Amino acid sequence: MADKHHKEERTFVIIKPDGVQRSLIGEVIKRYEKIGLKLVGLKMGVTTPDMVEKHYTLDPEWMRKTGEKTIANYKKKGQEPPSEDPLEITKVVLESLKRYITSGPVIMMVWQGAHAVGIVRKLTGATEPLSSDVGTIRGDFVLDSYVMSDVAGRAVRNILHASGTVEEAEDEIKLWFKEDELINYRLIQEAILYDVDLDGILE
Ligand code: ADP
Ligand code: MG
């Protein structure tokens, strides 16, 4: 990213099948759009278990980190995690994710703009909807929890996937989009977001 302007940062988002079924496509797009990000790639499709596995294993550390996050979340609430071994937890989560994300159509999107990765994560909210802040998409539109998903033996339903880091975003965009499916264009509002001098407004 060092040689790129801030406004060139890109992130990858999936509206998961529950988001599509809850009729939240417009709501999600509205929130990312209103903050000033630019939509540069968009498609709808039904994905495969193989793609879901590839997606979540792009980062070799994802299994460990997600397991650790789950354990910490249980402990913070004074609850017993299903296992003390992060990898054991994520092995089960990955299988559940394959069923979840292939269960219906999904929307795949690439959003671009300054701090796109961090801004989209902030608007999306924390992984477990029970703990996501009010005002975030997950905090406002879904009531799931690890306790509920564990009892049912399924993945936690939280409407969205959003890349966690710039590197993760770059790998995920390459996995889900071909170069010619991404559109380079100027959005008029970028002048007010990024231009150094705001000349040309007053007549
Ligand atoms: P995020 O989507 O917020 O980046 P992770 O990358 O840690 O979260 O996990 C990917 C997805 O796996 C989550 O969005 C959620 O759907 C599911 N998930 C993560 N941890 C668990 C868990 N402990 N139990 C059930 N599902 C989980
Ligand atoms: Mg993640």
Side-chain angles (χ1 to χ4, degrees):
M1 273 303 288
D3 52 343
K4 283 191 186 166
H5 187 282
H6 290 297
K7 69 184 179 193
E8 292 175 67
E9 185 171 313
R10 287 178 168 179
T11 193
F12 174 67
V13 173
I14 300 177
I15 306 180
K16 294 172 177 174
D18 54 329
V20 174
Q21 293 302 320
R22 297 274 313 279
S23 302
L24 290 171
I25 300 170
E27 181 69 37
V28 167
I29 291 180
K30 185 180 84 185
R31 288 183 177 218
Y32 298 150
E33 201 178 25
K34 272 171 63 180
I35 206 161
L37 294 173
K38 173 168 71 178
L39 187 60
V40 296
L42 172 72
K43 54 188 181 183
M44 186 176 198
V46 177
T47 191
T48 61
D50 184 48
M51 273 299 278
V52 174
E53 174 149 359
K54 276 203 187 110
H55 169 81
Y56 281 109
T57 52
L58 279 171
D59 172 9
E61 292 293 292
W62 175 81
M63 303 227 14
R64 182 183 57 75
K65 283 191 284 193
T66 293
E68 285 173 358
K69 193 165 75 175
T70 301
I71 293 170
N73 195 291
Y74 267 95
K75 292 195 170 163
K76 205 169 78 192
K77 296 198 199 98
Q79 294 163 347
E80 191 70 24
S83 161
E84 288 290 340
D85 177 358
L87 296 183
E88 203 174 298
I89 291 181
T90 354
K91 232 174 88 186
V92 179
V93 170
L94 184 57
E95 289 312 304
S96 307
L97 277 169
K98 289 184 197 170
R99 292 196 302 277
Y100 170 30
I101 297 178
T102 62
S103 65
V106 294
I107 305 289
M108 290 146 277
M109 301 184 283
V110 178
W111 288 90
Q112 181 174 326
H115 315 294
V117 171
I119 294 280
V120 163
R121 287 293 289 200
K122 183 175 78 164
L123 297 179
T124 299
T127 305
E128 187 200 28
L130 175 63
S131 321
S132 318
D133 289 330
V134 172
T136 65
I137 301 168
R138 286 167 171 170
D140 285 355
F141 295 108
V142 65
L143 46 65
D144 208 9
S145 65
Y146 290 141
V147 168
M148 275 170 63
S149 65
D150 281 353
V151 167
R154 59 170 174 76
V156 84
R157 289 181 192 144
N158 54 11
I159 299 171
L160 293 164
H161 162 78
S163 311
T165 64
V166 171
E167 296 70 42
E168 204 174 284
E170 283 169 358
D171 291 343
E172 290 175 357
I173 292 167
K174 275 194 211 111
L175 178 68
W176 292 93
F177 280 86
K178 296 191 198 90
E179 196 53 51
D180 65 2
E181 291 175 321
L182 299 172
I183 301 174
N184 292 309
Y185 67 101
R186 213 166 86 83
L187 202 57
I188 300 302
Q189 68 163 351
E190 286 175 297
I192 206 83
L193 296 172
Y194 307 118
D195 280 6
V196 176
D197 297 310
L198 296 174
D199 343 315
I201 294 175
L202 289 171
E203 292 184 335

